[in-house]
């Protein structure tokens, strides 16, 4: 069973059900049931038209649920005919569905969480990690969002800023290697950039391209992570970098700076350095200062501490780190790196081992464990 195929078809199937009158929560439940049925049936009897099969089965599941639920009797007249099995429309509804999920009746954070779960295909755990909240808290937030939009007409799409946040988080989850969604996020952001003249849309697209250009160099042949400073820059996609820089420059000259443009500027400075030792860390710190002003994000401040450590020395970086909450994800890993650069190898080794125990994915855990072993071997 091809999980990637199922994930790619899900948004389009969900959009078809919504257009045909299903409320969002019921449509999502029906699509999930159809996916379960596909996992059971397809290995022995694969359909000729996968999307058409899913639309037909999901619609039947929705009809069954609607007829069984007396609270939805008013909808039965709209859904009393099943669609004829066969090829479904090939129109890509994914981006439209992102806007519909960013409904004005939801808070931006709830809209993002709902869209990531229902359309982006992320698990509740992954969304909770992106928001830095417990999984149970995020599960409640998503459930409340579903209840809020249940029965609401999806004729008032949400705003661009909420959709951008969703696309950014989807890209980050794909880029982490846990779920391969990065290319899909880029595709949708290209569509959005073609439809909307907005500097932050351009900034997000530039940011994605500049990061994605380094993808081939981010892991070794054994699957282990390769830190930015150690990557083979000959593997970077120079055409993608050039496109990202051009898009970013066109956005910056409009003098409407936003957080995605600032992040893209940092990525462009990394891409511009022929070797890690020539990275312009002073400019990077300046851009992080802009990001702090724009977002006041603790994660941005954590990344800024690393940049300060490179620009002004590890002790300056440790001083910037000291004012941050040590419960922040990757705080311990940053502390280990800065202490290693400051020469305190024993403390750095202990911190790398501690950071490995806290790591949220296997690749990061393995990398930090190797760092601790490397330092311990030299003691």
């Amino acid at each position: 069973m091809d999980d990637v195929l199922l994930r790619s078809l899900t948004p389009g199937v969900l959009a078809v059900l919504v257009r045909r009158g299903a409320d969002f929560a019921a449509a999502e439940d029906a699509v999930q049931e159809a996916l379960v049925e596909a996992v059971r049936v397809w290995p022995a009897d694969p359909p000729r038209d996968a999307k058409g099969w899913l639309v037909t089965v999901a619609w039947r599941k929705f009809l069954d649920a609607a007829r069984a639920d007396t609270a939805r009797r008013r909808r039965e007249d709209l859904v009393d005919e099943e669609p004829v099995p066969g090829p479904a429309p090939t129109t890509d509804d994914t981006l439209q569905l992102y806007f519909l999920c960013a409904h004005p009746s939801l808070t931006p954070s709830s809209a993002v969480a709902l869209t990531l779960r229902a359309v982006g295909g992320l698990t509740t755990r992954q969304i909770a990690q992106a928001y830095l909240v417990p999984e149970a808290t995020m599960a409640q937030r998503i459930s409340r969002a579903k209840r809020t939009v249940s029965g609401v007409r999806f004729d008032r799409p949400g705003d661009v800023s909420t959709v951008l946040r969703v696309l950014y988080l989807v890209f980050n989850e794909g880029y982490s290697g846990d779920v391969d969604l990065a290319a899909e996020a880029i595709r949708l952001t290209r569509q959005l950039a073609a439809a909307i003249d907005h500097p932050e849309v351009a900034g997000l697209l530039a940011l994605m391209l500049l990061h994605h250009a380094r993808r081939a160099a981010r892991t070794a042949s054994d699957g282990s992570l390769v830190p930015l400073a150690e990557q083979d820059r000959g593997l970077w996609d120079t055409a993608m970098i050039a496109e990202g820089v051009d898009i970013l420059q066109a956005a910056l000259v409009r003098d409407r700076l936003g957080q995605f443009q600032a992040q893209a500027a940092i990525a462009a400075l990394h891409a511009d350095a022929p070797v890690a030792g020539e990275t312009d860390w002073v400019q990077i710190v300046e851009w992080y200062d802009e990001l702090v002003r724009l977002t006041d994000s603790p994660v941005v401040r954590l990344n800024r501490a690393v940049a300060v450590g490179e620009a002004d020395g590890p002790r300056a970086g440790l001083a910037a780190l000291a004012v941050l909450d040590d419960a922040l994800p990757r705080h311990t890993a940053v502390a280990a790196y800065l202490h290693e650069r400051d020469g305190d190898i024993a403390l750095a080794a202990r911190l790398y081992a501690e950071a490995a125990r806290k790591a949220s994915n296997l690749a990061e855990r393995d990398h930090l464990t190797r760092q601790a072993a490397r330092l311990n071997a030299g003691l």
Side-chain angles (χ1 to χ4, degrees):
M1 175 55 57
D2 191 338
D3 291 340
V4 174
L5 173 61
L6 287 176
R7 191 182 302 119
S8 67
L9 292 174
T10 298
V13 176
L14 185 56
V16 170
L17 266 65
V18 170
R19 283 204 307 270
R20 287 176 174 168
D23 68 80
F24 189 86
E28 185 190 13
D29 289 342
V31 172
Q32 292 300 320
E33 289 188 37
L35 293 176
V36 171
E37 188 75 3
V39 171
R40 186 181 68 82
V41 172
W42 286 10
D45 185 21
R48 285 177 294 181
D49 175 22
K51 183 177 178 181
W53 190 98
L54 285 171
V55 167
T56 299
V57 172
W59 188 252
R60 287 171 179 162
K61 298 288 185 184
F62 169 74
L63 287 175
D64 290 343
R67 288 166 180 151
D69 188 351
T70 57
R72 296 177 185 172
R73 288 177 182 174
R74 290 178 298 173
R75 296 180 180 271
E76 290 183 355
D77 291 340
L78 300 175
V79 295
D80 58 358
E81 292 185 3
E82 297 179 2
V84 178
T90 58
T91 303
D92 184 354
D93 302 296
T94 308
L95 188 58
Q96 178 190 9
L97 203 56
Y98 272 63
F99 273 96
L100 292 177
C101 286
H103 197 273
S105 64
L106 296 172
T107 64
S109 61
S110 294
V112 171
L114 177 62
T115 313
L116 290 174
R117 182 71 185 91
V119 190
L122 275 65
T123 65
T124 303
R125 175 185 60 81
Q126 291 163 336
I127 303 168
Q129 290 173 347
Y131 271 87
L132 310 180
V133 299
E135 184 175 349
T137 301
M138 183 52 64
Q140 292 174 355
R141 183 179 301 178
I142 293 172
S143 295
R144 285 197 300 269
K146 287 181 179 179
R147 289 195 298 270
T148 299
V149 300
S150 180
V152 169
R153 284 187 58 83
F154 281 84
D155 54 0
R156 293 187 299 150
D159 62 15
V160 174
S161 61
T162 301
V163 174
L164 288 179
R165 287 170 60 191
V166 175
L167 290 169
Y168 177 61
L169 290 172
V170 170
F171 176 82
N172 278 346
E173 194 61 46
Y175 191 69
S176 74
D178 198 10
V179 178
D180 188 12
L181 294 171
E184 172 69 358
I186 291 174
R187 184 183 71 84
L188 293 173
T189 307
R190 284 191 187 279
Q191 288 186 8
L192 188 58
I196 300 176
D197 183 19
H198 192 299
E200 272 293 81
V201 176
L204 179 58
L205 178 57
L207 174 63
M208 290 178 173
L209 293 173
L210 289 163
H211 278 300
H212 206 60
R214 304 199 302 255
R215 190 176 183 89
R218 291 186 68 246
T219 55
S221 57
D222 61 358
S224 59
L225 289 179
V226 180
L228 177 60
E230 300 172 17
Q231 289 178 13
D232 179 357
R233 300 186 178 216
L235 296 176
W236 291 1
D237 188 329
T238 55
M240 192 176 292
I241 289 172
E243 182 187 5
V245 170
D246 287 345
I247 293 171
L248 172 63
Q249 289 176 339
L252 289 176
V253 297
R254 300 177 66 177
D255 198 25
R256 290 169 55 193
L257 183 65
Q259 62 171 306
F260 295 122
Q261 295 168 73
Q263 290 187 60
I266 292 170
L269 286 167
H270 283 296
D272 187 54
V275 295
E278 296 181 21
T279 304
D280 191 342
W281 287 105
V282 173
Q283 274 203 69
I284 288 176
V285 171
E286 292 174 354
W287 277 111
Y288 271 120
D289 289 339
E290 290 288 345
L291 262 178
V292 169
R293 181 181 62 80
L294 289 166
T295 68
D296 196 29
S297 162
V299 175
V300 170
R301 291 182 181 276
L302 183 68
N303 291 332
R304 179 185 178 276
V306 177
V308 169
E310 298 289 352
D312 301 326
R315 295 198 176 182
L318 287 167
L321 186 66
V323 301
L324 301 178
D325 185 351
D326 59 9
L328 277 172
R330 297 187 173 89
H331 184 284
T332 307
V334 170
Y337 173 74
L338 292 172
H339 278 294
E340 179 186 358
R341 288 200 61 226
D342 195 39
D344 193 341
I345 303 303
L347 176 57
R350 290 198 300 272
L351 289 171
Y352 275 129
E354 181 183 342
R357 292 191 292 270
K358 297 177 178 178
S360 60
N361 65 71
L362 182 60
E364 184 178 352
R365 185 179 309 125
D366 288 346
H367 170 71
L368 292 167
T369 300
R370 283 193 297 271
Q371 295 294 87
R374 172 180 59 82
L375 294 186
N376 283 323
L379 291 174

